[in-house]
Amino acid sequence: MHRASAALGTDDELAALLHAEADGVAARGGEAEAAGMMARAAGLSADPAVRAARLVTAAAMAARRGRLRLAVRLVTSAEAEALVGGPEPAALYAFVVAYTRLQLDGDPGPAVDLLPAALESSETGGADGIDGAGGSDGADGLSVSVSSSAARGQRAALLEPMLFLLIVVAVHIGDERAWAAAERHATEASELAALCWRAWAGPFDAGYDVPRRLREAVAALPADQETAAAWLLLWTATAVDAIGEHDALWSRFARRHAYATDAFIDIVRAHDDFLHGRWDASLAVSRRGAETSAAAGCAFNELLFLYNAGQVLAARGDRAGLAALKPALGAPPAGRRLRFVTERLRGLEVLCALGHGRTEEAWRLARRLVPGRRPAGPGPASAPRPASPRTRGAHRGPTSRPPRSAASPGCRHRS
């Protein structure tokens, strides 16, 4: 690193050495430091394509460590360096852009627009490598090599985090492009990706026991290793309302890793507390998480924490508390295409009204849940009774997608 600091101009040999050192540091958990080293390796590279590739890899390292704004700056620099067609490796670039835009801006659009094509490219062995860049695969699926000799390993390492992000986005916005891409690639990527997709897509095959397979996968996960696999497992557990059964899973990661992982654990744990009636704990974690996310500039996590707080307040019938959250849960999510918030906000208001016994108000709100259709029945006496949160299909975690019909085209589950 000292030689690199003193170097003037370009030096490809030194850049390759620094790249390899950055990969090693990242593999040992030092992604923040590795990002700076990789960016310096990019600066020493004579070839613009290699510079762009190393900047993309540096951006992935920064994103993995929660340095999202640094990641954005590095990606912007990579775009400026890239030749026609955009920065390589294309799949890693797509993932970093999708991840940072979702986290910082709460914008799921880039994930839907970029990840399906990136998954296709990865599956078919598209041009994701840059000759001569050197390095080795990272352990977490983000800080990966751009070496052509490691292209196959790179694609495999990227599939799980890309699919995790795509399934999260599909659940939140209900975009059929995202669901179709997840369905197409999940079963071919890994058993864990397939398990996560099956858990959220529903309905379950009789011979495909998601809770049992989840328990087996948790038991087989290497101890104290932060991977995309762990995120997939936590998200799977959320889908089947089984987070409370897997303390051993999240205890491996809580408070020992990057902000993104800690925040994700807090989000699913707050929801689990809500499901099990631990409302004070759920509300405390949600409010604290919303404040921390806002301070970190992570709009998406802030929104999820606020929504969970809204569930608690609605269940308690706290009209004033829910009204105070409404500005944050209303217009901004609508502009970001986060359908689960905008469509379920009125549902929270219905529950809040019912909690206070205001059946007339609940009826009026409930009628608006299905635009253009009048609910059957003469009035409030026929208003739907809230389903138990443990009822399958009625509640699928902090984000919800109505289960597809078994007869839906393209949705036959493979056992």
Side-chain angles (χ1 to χ4, degrees):
M1 189 64 182
H2 295 298
R3 283 181 58 196
S5 300
L8 300 176
T10 60
D11 186 331
D12 285 330
E13 181 180 357
L14 183 56
L17 292 173
L18 191 57
H19 182 131
E21 186 177 351
D23 275 341
V25 171
R28 295 189 294 273
E31 290 85 0
E33 180 183 357
M37 297 169 67
M38 190 65 75
R40 180 57 180 143
L44 292 170
S45 306
D47 187 336
V50 174
R51 281 202 301 273
R54 285 176 170 148
L55 285 167
V56 169
T57 305
M61 292 171 171
R64 166 139 177 356
R65 216 50 216 164
R67 303 283 300 279
L68 299 180
R69 299 196 185 280
L70 172 60
V72 170
R73 292 196 296 271
L74 290 167
V75 163
T76 301
S77 298
E79 292 169 343
E81 293 283 356
L83 304 175
V84 176
E88 297 285 353
L92 185 59
Y93 167 75
F95 177 81
V96 174
V97 171
Y99 180 71
T100 54
R101 286 286 299 276
L102 180 67
Q103 283 290 342
L104 288 173
D105 304 328
D107 183 2
V112 176
D113 296 336
L114 298 176
L115 292 184
L119 286 164
E120 286 288 341
S121 174
S122 295
E123 183 182 80
T124 58
D128 284 335
I130 299 295
D131 288 334
S136 59
D137 291 341
D140 57 18
L142 302 188
S143 50
V144 298
S145 169
V146 293
S147 170
S148 58
S149 64
R152 183 179 298 275
Q154 172 191 325
R155 289 193 294 273
L158 267 176
L159 282 175
E160 283 190 344
M162 284 197 295
L163 281 163
F164 167 77
L165 188 58
L166 194 61
I167 293 171
V168 167
V169 167
V171 169
H172 283 82
I173 70 174
D175 190 288
E176 283 303 316
R177 291 176 298 163
W179 278 115
E183 179 177 5
R184 172 176 171 77
H185 297 284
T187 55
E188 300 168 0
S190 71
E191 182 63 29
L192 297 183
L195 181 65
C196 187
W197 174 76
R198 287 172 186 268
W200 281 104
F204 302 132
D205 289 337
Y208 197 92
D209 186 341
V210 171
R212 176 183 61 78
R213 290 174 184 253
L214 175 62
R215 288 191 293 272
E216 293 172 353
V218 170
L221 191 70
D224 199 25
Q225 182 182 358
E226 184 177 20
T227 64
W231 287 29
L232 284 166
L233 290 173
L234 282 167
W235 196 227
T236 302
T238 304
V240 295
D241 293 342
I243 281 293
E245 300 176 20
H246 299 289
D247 278 341
L249 177 60
W250 60 32
S251 67
R252 296 176 181 180
F253 308 108
R255 308 290 167 257
R256 284 182 281 176
H257 295 286
Y259 160 77
T261 296
D262 285 344
F264 181 49
I265 291 168
D266 283 345
I267 288 167
V268 296
R269 188 163 231 167
H271 178 69
D272 188 65
D273 284 339
F274 167 72
L275 289 182
H276 289 86
R278 298 186 292 268
W279 289 355
D280 287 340
S282 179
L283 192 58
V285 170
S286 298
R287 285 173 167 166
R288 184 172 61 248
E291 292 175 0
T292 302
S293 298
C298 293
F300 185 64
N301 286 343
E302 180 186 8
L303 183 62
L304 296 186
F305 279 120
L306 288 174
Y307 179 75
N308 194 75
Q311 289 188 115
V312 177
L313 295 171
R316 285 178 166 173
D318 188 340
R319 189 177 191 178
L322 188 59
L325 288 182
K326 189 172 181 178
L329 291 174
R336 298 170 187 140
R337 298 191 290 171
L338 295 177
R339 287 176 50 197
F340 93 99
V341 173
T342 54
E343 291 180 358
R344 294 178 69 188
L345 176 60
R346 190 166 288 125
L348 293 181
E349 293 175 322
V350 172
L351 292 177
C352 185
L354 287 174
H356 271 303
R358 300 190 301 271
T359 54
E360 291 281 354
E361 179 185 344
W363 171 249
R364 288 194 301 272
L365 292 168
R367 288 182 61 181
R368 301 176 196 168
L369 290 174
V370 186
R373 295 177 60 187
R374 181 184 179 88
S382 300
R385 181 168 55 90
S388 165
R390 301 296 297 176
T391 301
R392 177 162 305 286
H395 195 97
R396 283 187 163 272
T399 56
S400 180
R401 173 179 185 257
R404 296 188 182 193
S405 167
S408 297
C411 197
R412 288 190 178 90
H413 295 264
R414 293 171 286 279
S415 59

